[in-house]
Amino acid sequence: MKMGSEQGIERIQPKGEVYKCPVCNYTDGFHVSFNMEAGSNLAEIVLICPSCHRRFNIGWKVQLEQE
Ligand SMILES: [Zn+2]
């Protein structure tokens, strides 16, 4: 897994329970958004800090139902 930013989304390495923002140390968890992969039904889950609004990717992908 690579570190660093990608389109404003920072890749983080999850350790233990992921509830704390690595940027501002907010400790009540994250909002969630989905980044759809073009041409597929795969979505990458993006975590958004409710406090500092930074976005994080932890390598978490979900497959949506085919229509
Ligand atoms: Zn934060």
Side-chain angles (χ1 to χ4, degrees), residues 11-52:
R11 182 66 177 252
I12 56 173
Q13 300 286 344
K15 288 181 186 149
E17 185 182 359
V18 180
Y19 65 93
K20 184 173 168 182
C21 176
V23 174
C24 73
N25 292 322
Y26 178 81
T27 58
D28 285 338
F30 296 93
H31 293 312
V32 169
S33 70
F34 301 92
N35 194 9
M36 298 302 301
E37 291 191 358
S40 82
N41 64 339
L42 283 175
E44 184 172 70
I45 295 181
V46 178
L47 303 179
I48 305 169
C49 175
S51 180
C52 72

